[in-house]
Amino acid sequence: MSDRQILQAMSGLMAGMFVSILAGTVVANALPRIIADLGASQSSYTWVVTAELLAMTATVPLWGKLADLYNQKLLLQISLGLFVVGSLLAGFSHEVGLLIFSRVAQGIGAGGLTALAQVVMAAIIPPRRLGKYAGVFGAVFAVGTVAGPLIGGVLVDTSWLGWRWCFFIGVPFALLAIVLLQRTLKLPTLRREAKIDYLGAFLIVAGVCALLIWVSLAGNSFDWASWQTAALTGGGLVLLAAAVLVESRVPEPVIPLGIFRNRTVTLTTVASLFVGLAMFGGTVFLSQYFQISLGKSPTVAGLMSLPMILGLLVSSTVAGQIISRTGRWKAYLIAGGVLMTAGLGLLSTIGADTHFGLLSLYMAVMGIGVGMLMQNLVLAAQNDVAASELGAATSVLSFFRSLGGTIGTSVLGAILASRVATEMSKGLQGAGVPTDGGAAGHGAVPDMTALPAPVREIVEHAYGVATGELFLVATPFALLAVIAVLFVKEKPLKTTSGMERLAEESGAAGRTDGSGAPSATAGAPAASAEKG
């Protein structure tokens, strides 16, 4: 396929990814206002974010498996349809429970987009050329991430629109993506007998959800050392152990365990887990820091995130072009991991009085690191697996990155709530104001415009200290990602697309001699494909 044909085929794909990214970033700056309007708590703030991440995390392996069995274009359109339903429910929500439920529907749709977009890219683009198009996707990611907070801020600050339009605005883009996919993306349907591992899928989803619900609620709704902790962790581990047993025996597992015998897949999976934990866990609360600690409006808070997004845009685009030209990729993984770790470490020093110039520099360093690292981890894994395992390998990486983000958001959200409560109690007692648990930060997120100046200063300081501590906790996990990347072996990038490799593998498997064993001419390509 020529560059023009590939870009035409990818237009609907990019529109779908833009919708998925926009959904998260538009809401980011609106959340403090949404939570205040609905009278919800800091734990609800975390759950609105976590619900989507949890649903996306739990369903990514299922979408990846379906991508290896059924028409990928149809699956993409179904995921976009689920996303539209979730967006409409969220926009009409009048209480936080319905909002959280609607975010689950959005998360299931986003899980499909997350897994399938990269699978389709690998199917039509050879790994050697994939870096260039990964840069295009990086640009779409950056535009969606830049536009989202700005659009969200303007919508929230415009009285005749309001925060509900943060959910409605993605609907026309999703519908456009469905139409574009129908018109531009042509993929062959692989017709073969397939058995869906429903039991394995259920056990994986149930086990992951049990552990993520425990991480989200422990320390807030119940103590870390309690019977609820024992029930959720014990139940989750038993379910996951049963899932491993089932996956090792069924002919069509949701997550093929044999894929982890591939060293590249295992190491990039570990790195993706830590990247998700450090990046999502650290940055999801930045908008709250801008608005509460620094006292900025939602629109200004959106503008303040530009340095991080521009760093990500430039680094992902430039690194993708260089990788496509040279075929060398490991150095960019290592450099990206080091820069992400350095950026998080620098952000751990922020407070309520941090100058915006310094804050911009710290965010830019982290953004550059993330842009060089995140997409190229997927490229390294896709390059080293058989074409028949592209969907499984891609979804495994996406699954563990989302899992890390969900765990990071939940754990760091609990740390934030606890630290804010401690700092506010300290500040209010120092000012001679009597406190109770709710006033100290365990209750609703404060409406800064309604607070008297002395109390507002105490709240700003509390959120500044707590946010800096979040980045300090996230930094060691980014360092662990660097260590995992160091052990990845660099291999030359393939020059054939996933569909071409799949045709070669299928042809080699089908050419057998009279005894039913592979012939000498057929065996060589098949073995070569399996070795990657």
Side-chain angles (χ1 to χ4, degrees):
M1 297 174 70
S2 68
D3 287 347
R4 181 177 178 182
Q5 288 173 318
I6 289 174
L7 286 173
Q8 285 177 339
M10 287 170 55
S11 60
L13 206 57
M14 289 188 284
M17 285 298 292
F18 180 75
V19 166
S20 176
I21 295 158
L22 195 69
T25 55
V26 161
V27 175
N29 277 338
L31 265 181
R33 185 72 59 84
I34 293 171
I35 296 300
D37 282 357
L38 297 179
S41 65
Q42 178 66 51
S43 64
S44 297
Y45 183 105
T46 303
W47 261 105
V48 171
V49 178
T50 304
E52 184 187 22
L53 282 173
L54 190 151
M56 181 172 69
T57 301
T59 57
V60 157
L62 308 185
W63 288 109
K65 180 59 181 177
L66 291 172
D68 285 335
L69 302 178
Y70 299 111
N71 186 280
Q72 295 161 1
K73 180 169 77 173
L74 178 61
L75 293 173
L76 276 166
Q77 291 172 319
I78 290 172
S79 65
L80 282 163
L82 286 170
F83 184 84
V84 168
V85 171
S87 298
L88 292 173
L89 281 175
F92 288 114
S93 298
H94 287 279
E95 51 94 20
V96 76
L98 180 58
L99 178 61
I100 292 171
F101 173 79
S102 68
R103 295 287 283 174
V104 171
Q106 282 188 312
I108 295 171
L113 293 168
T114 300
L116 296 167
Q118 295 178 93
V119 172
V120 171
M121 279 181 65
I124 64 176
I125 308 170
R128 183 60 188 264
R129 296 168 66 191
L130 193 57
K132 178 165 53 173
Y133 296 100
V136 174
F137 262 82
V140 172
F141 180 90
V143 169
T145 313
V146 170
L150 296 177
I151 294 170
V154 171
L155 291 173
V156 171
D157 287 339
T158 303
S159 59
W160 51 276
L161 289 172
W163 60 260
R164 296 184 186 279
W165 279 94
C166 293
F167 298 104
F168 293 144
I169 196 170
V171 173
F173 288 103
L175 296 175
L176 173 64
I178 292 173
V179 173
L180 283 174
L181 284 168
Q182 186 63 35
R183 293 175 63 89
T184 63
L185 186 62
K186 307 297 180 186
L187 290 173
T189 301
L190 201 62
R191 299 195 178 277
R192 65 183 180 88
E193 292 228 4
K195 295 180 180 179
I196 301 298
D197 177 21
Y198 293 107
L199 178 59
F202 168 76
L203 292 171
I204 291 170
V205 171
V208 169
C209 287
L211 293 178
L212 293 180
I213 289 170
W214 165 65
V215 169
S216 302
L217 298 180
N220 185 20
S221 299
F222 51 81
D223 292 334
W224 288 96
S226 63
W227 69 265
Q228 292 97 329
T229 289
L232 287 170
T233 55
L237 292 174
V238 168
L239 288 167
L240 290 177
V244 170
L245 183 64
V246 170
E247 295 297 274
S248 66
R249 297 187 175 186
V250 295
E252 296 273 4
V254 176
I255 299 178
L257 300 181
I259 204 170
F260 292 107
R261 287 197 289 267
N262 183 309
R263 173 177 166 176
T264 302
V265 171
T266 301
L267 289 172
T268 51
T269 297
V270 171
S272 293
L273 174 71
F274 290 129
V275 167
L277 204 155
M279 185 189 70
F280 288 108
T283 58
V284 74
F285 299 103
L286 265 179
S287 179
Q288 193 176 33
Y289 164 75
F290 294 148
Q291 294 182 53
I292 295 180
S293 187
L294 302 186
K296 306 299 182 183
S297 70
T299 303
V300 174
L303 290 169
M304 290 179 75
S305 64
L306 282 176
M308 180 170 65
I309 305 311
L310 291 175
L312 190 151
L313 167 63
V314 172
S315 67
S316 66
T317 305
V318 172
Q321 294 285 346
I322 296 174
I323 288 171
S324 286
R325 192 163 59 246
T326 65
R328 312 288 295 182
W329 48 266
K330 183 172 178 179
Y332 300 97
L333 290 182
I334 296 171
V338 169
L339 286 171
M340 184 180 74
T341 305
L344 287 166
L346 291 169
L347 283 167
S348 70
T349 64
I350 65 175
D353 55 353
T354 302
H355 189 274
F356 180 62
L358 276 178
L359 191 58
S360 299
L361 175 64
Y362 300 164
M363 288 191 294
V365 171
M366 193 186 77
I368 291 170
V370 171
M372 296 171 71
L373 179 62
M374 190 166 63
Q375 186 63 34
N376 291 322
L377 285 171
V378 178
L379 172 64
Q382 288 177 337
N383 182 62
D384 201 32
V385 297
S388 58
E389 294 181 336
L390 274 175
T394 305
S395 64
V396 162
L397 260 69
S398 299
F399 170 75
F400 279 95
R401 185 175 64 236
S402 299
L403 180 65
T406 309
I407 293 171
T409 302
S410 301
V411 172
L412 295 181
I415 292 173
L416 177 76
S418 175
R419 186 68 168 150
V420 164
T422 302
E423 289 296 320
M424 285 179 62
S425 294
K426 223 187 291 182
L428 292 171
Q429 287 170 6
V433 179
T435 65
D436 58 25
H442 288 298
V445 174
D447 181 357
M448 300 300 287
T449 59
L451 296 177
V455 177
R456 188 164 61 245
E457 288 179 9
I458 292 170
V459 175
E460 288 171 354
H461 173 76
Y463 273 88
V465 170
T467 306
E469 188 169 298
L470 294 191
F471 288 108
L472 182 62
V473 173
T475 301
F477 295 104
L479 186 59
L480 290 173
V482 177
I483 294 171
V485 165
L486 286 172
F487 289 97
V488 177
K489 183 179 178 181
E490 184 166 24
K491 297 184 180 181
L493 295 176
K494 293 186 175 74
T495 56
T496 53
S497 70
M499 287 194 294
E500 291 169 329
R501 286 154 56 196
L502 187 60
E504 290 173 6
E505 292 168 18
S506 300
R511 290 193 299 273
T512 61
D513 59 23
S515 66
S519 66
T521 55
S528 172
E530 283 301 321
K531 287 179 181 175

